[in-house]
Amino acid sequence: MLRLYNSLTRSKKIFSPIHKGVVNMYSCGPTVYDHVHIGNLRSFIVDDLLQRVLRNVEKYKVNWVMNITDIDDKMISQIDKDYHDKEPMQALGELADKYTDIFIADIETVGIRRSDITKLPRATDHIDQMQALIKKLLLEKIAYISDGSIYFSLENYQKSGKKYGQLVNVDYDAQARLTDDQDQKEGASDFVLWKAKKAGEPYWEFEWLDSQYPGRPGWHIECSAMSTEYLGQPFDIHTGGVDLKFPHHENEIAQCGGLQANFYIHNEFLQTEGEKMSKSLGNITTLSAMPEPLAFRFAVLQAHYRSQMDFGAQILQSATDRLHTLSSYADQMLFAWKDQLPEKDDSSMTKKFIDQFNLAITDDLNTPAALSAFSHIEGKVYSHETLKALEYVESILGVGLLSAKPLSSEEKALISDYDKSRAHKQYMESDNIREKLKVDHKLQISDTQHGPLVNRIR
Ligand SMILES: [Zn+2]
């Protein structure tokens, strides 16, 4: 039974999907104008963890949709900088192509499989759906036109009996400050649905009541339109970083008429040396600077997703060390020869391990407690049952625990020779083989009650 902290109710709730056996989940994706920074990667890793738990623990089919924002202020200022010699629409496409490919490559290195994301829709491929939604809001008089732009009227929305502020207690002043000074809004907290065309910017035609309003969509409308297009309304789970709660998700809900999704899951920030990790602060650590991206994923899992995560070189190093230790333990079972290990774990520690892991991971994705379950088995218990348990746990963690390069036939022969020489008490010979395995093959051999067990040296 999976319990998740739902930002809508501000409490942990038992999760059950709207349609039996299927979970429809939407995650706010990247703006593809630059490399994704590791603060955002934390958010995507948490999304991935959640969809893995839904699939592999709860056994649901998961439709996971993540949008690609390929039109907004950041995209436009980037094409002004890097593609000023190109026609704006073409420049936008090229920039989006480039950084979408880089994004997919980056998330794959931290264990997020592209194949697990059911749809990765681009905003600019869904202008029709956004315009249809805006027209619906215009008809309902919840949207209005001012100076060529179209805005969402909070006053009219609330007058229609709908609640704004489902995820947060709204700070209207803060929202008013967030918007552009040039906006021609009627209410300070109104937000833009469609921005009037500016010279030199990419734009789309928009016809309403025989008038033309060329321009581009606001950011919030894309997620309302695309989540509805692919997952219906309401759908099961909406995820994102805690900074998206307000105004982005609050506005998405309002644009959807007050009911968009049943669960909103928000993950906390990643901080470096106590500072919020964001581009505006300039303290970006890039994924390319990390020798083992999966160790970053492991570091992310060592923190609970609703806690702020401190990140720095030392934290990455300790996560790397821990992951290496666990991987070495996994190697020892993975590399054991046929019949070397017992089928069952008679100590019942493997069962304890799985039980504690499941209990923790289904309690609002409590990864720190789930990871501590390894203490029941690590370095102590070796069996086929235990190896199967590791395979299961790896299907949820996705940290590459069982991805060591298989033993070559030469390595296998050396290990076999080692075992024979030990059996014949030829210790000089066995020591020589041990040394050769270590130096030439980066393999460590350990003598155990099950005979020699081997792991790759990391
Ligand atoms: Zn969104």
Side-chain angles (χ1 to χ4, degrees):
M1 202 165 52
L2 174 62
R3 293 189 312 147
L4 294 171
Y5 184 90
N6 187 355
S7 299
L8 271 182
T9 57
R10 281 87 155 161
S11 60
K12 274 193 218 174
K13 290 275 177 204
I14 293 171
F15 172 77
S16 66
I18 296 164
H19 305 287
K20 194 168 176 280
V22 183
V23 177
N24 288 317
M25 169 168 149
Y26 186 91
S27 303
C28 290
T31 303
V32 282
Y33 73 110
D34 198 352
H35 290 264
V36 59
H37 71 89
I38 59 168
N40 286 342
L41 267 183
R42 181 192 187 191
S43 181
F44 300 128
I45 290 168
V46 170
D47 296 341
D48 182 57
L49 172 73
L50 174 56
Q51 68 90 20
R52 282 171 180 258
V53 168
L54 290 165
R55 275 182 221 271
N56 301 331
V57 184
E58 301 294 304
K59 307 295 178 199
Y60 293 120
K61 179 182 183 296
V62 179
N63 294 316
W64 182 21
V65 175
M66 181 188 284
N67 66 304
I68 297 282
T69 299
D70 60 348
I71 174 73
D72 74 348
D73 292 342
K74 291 188 289 248
M75 291 291 295
I76 288 172
S77 69
Q78 197 67 31
I79 61 172
D80 278 348
K81 244 193 330 200
D82 293 351
Y83 297 84
H84 47 81
D85 51 336
K86 291 222 159 107
E87 185 269 317
M89 202 61 104
Q90 192 195 347
L92 197 67
E94 286 182 21
L95 178 67
D97 284 347
K98 178 182 169 184
Y99 283 106
T100 302
D101 288 348
I102 290 173
F103 173 71
I104 292 168
D106 280 351
I107 60 171
E108 292 257 3
T109 66
V110 293
I112 303 170
R113 298 189 201 102
R114 168 65 187 88
S115 56
D116 280 345
I117 306 174
T118 317
K119 280 232 154 32
L120 206 55
R122 277 189 183 192
T124 58
D125 291 335
H126 298 79
I127 299 291
D128 287 350
Q129 288 87 338
M130 294 183 222
Q131 293 192 346
L133 179 52
I134 294 169
K135 286 174 183 176
K136 178 173 173 277
L137 295 169
L138 282 165
L139 272 179
E140 292 170 350
K141 305 252 183 292
I142 285 168
Y144 62 89
I145 299 172
S146 171
D147 206 16
S149 293
I150 307 173
Y151 297 93
F152 188 97
S153 163
L154 269 195
E155 193 186 335
N156 289 357
Y157 178 70
Q158 286 167 323
K159 270 190 193 153
S160 76
K162 305 274 173 61
K163 182 174 167 33
Y164 187 78
Q166 296 192 28
L167 298 168
V168 290
N169 300 319
V170 177
D171 177 350
Y172 289 99
D173 291 341
Q175 194 186 15
R177 280 197 302 275
L178 277 169
T179 43
D180 208 318
D181 287 334
Q182 294 163 358
D183 287 349
Q184 302 295 313
K185 302 184 295 184
E186 289 172 3
S189 300
D190 293 352
F191 56 90
V192 72
L193 299 167
W194 187 257
K195 290 188 178 189
K197 175 191 167 189
K198 283 187 201 155
E201 290 188 357
Y203 70 96
W204 290 263
E205 297 297 342
F206 187 129
E207 189 177 312
W208 175 247
L209 303 178
D210 292 330
S211 294
Q212 297 299 327
Y213 301 93
R216 61 181 171 97
W219 172 39
H220 313 303
I221 197 74
E222 76 173 78
C223 287
S224 295
M226 290 196 281
S227 65
T228 305
E229 171 81 5
Y230 293 107
L231 301 174
Q233 209 181 79
F235 56 91
D236 296 301
I237 303 176
H238 194 321
T239 72
V242 71
D243 52 333
L244 299 185
K245 212 188 247 189
F246 176 82
H248 184 54
H249 288 171
E250 201 65 54
N251 291 352
E252 283 187 35
I253 294 171
Q255 291 163 154
C256 288
L259 178 61
Q260 182 195 28
N262 284 351
F263 275 74
Y264 286 79
I265 310 294
H266 291 107
N267 70 280
E268 265 293 344
F269 288 123
L270 178 150
Q271 297 181 306
T272 48
E273 279 115 39
E275 259 186 292
K276 184 187 146 191
M277 190 81 192
S278 85
K279 289 218 150 174
S280 54
L281 293 174
N283 54 354
I284 306 156
T285 309
T286 57
L287 194 60
S288 57
M290 295 181 204
E292 285 185 61
L294 284 175
F296 173 69
R297 181 181 175 105
F298 194 84
V300 167
L301 298 180
Q302 284 181 315
H304 187 248
Y305 78 96
R306 284 196 293 120
S307 305
Q308 293 204 346
M309 176 190 168
D310 287 320
F311 186 70
Q314 226 166 19
I315 285 162
L316 184 62
Q317 188 56 54
S318 86
T320 306
D321 293 345
R322 184 78 190 103
L323 181 57
H324 285 178
T325 306
L326 287 175
S327 302
S328 295
Y329 168 58
D331 282 2
Q332 291 182 319
M333 281 181 277
L334 205 57
F335 293 160
W337 60 73
K338 201 171 173 286
D339 304 331
Q340 189 179 0
L341 300 179
E343 198 55 46
K344 290 259 164 257
D345 164 22
D346 293 330
S347 72
S348 79
M349 293 312 266
T350 301
K351 190 179 177 307
K352 256 197 179 143
F353 163 64
I354 288 290
D355 288 349
Q356 186 187 321
F357 183 90
N358 281 338
L359 204 64
I361 207 79
T362 56
D363 178 16
D364 196 29
L365 311 178
N366 190 345
T367 47
L371 291 175
S372 72
F374 278 104
S375 65
H376 293 301
I377 54 167
E378 196 185 340
K380 294 183 279 202
V381 183
Y382 299 91
S383 72
H384 290 280
E385 183 189 348
T386 315
L387 181 58
K388 278 223 163 58
L390 287 188
E391 284 167 5
Y392 164 76
V393 163
E394 167 60 19
S395 78
I396 296 142
L397 300 176
V399 290
L401 266 189
L402 296 151
S403 57
K405 192 171 97 198
L407 295 176
S408 67
S409 45
E410 188 197 350
E411 287 166 346
K412 282 180 189 167
L414 281 167
I415 295 161
S416 169
D417 289 349
Y418 173 86
D419 194 35
K420 276 181 207 144
S421 55
R422 293 264 307 171
H424 295 117
K425 301 199 176 355
Q426 295 161 342
Y427 295 119
M428 271 259 271
E429 174 69 5
S430 66
D431 283 352
N432 286 340
I433 301 173
R434 174 197 295 273
E435 197 56 18
K436 186 173 169 55
L437 281 166
K438 188 175 159 191
V439 175
D440 296 350
H441 298 271
K442 297 268 176 288
L443 280 169
Q444 178 178 303
I445 203 156
S446 313
D447 301 310
T448 75
Q449 53 164 321
H450 303 292
L453 291 174
V454 186
N455 64 273
R456 295 218 176 269
I457 298 165
R458 294 171 167 83

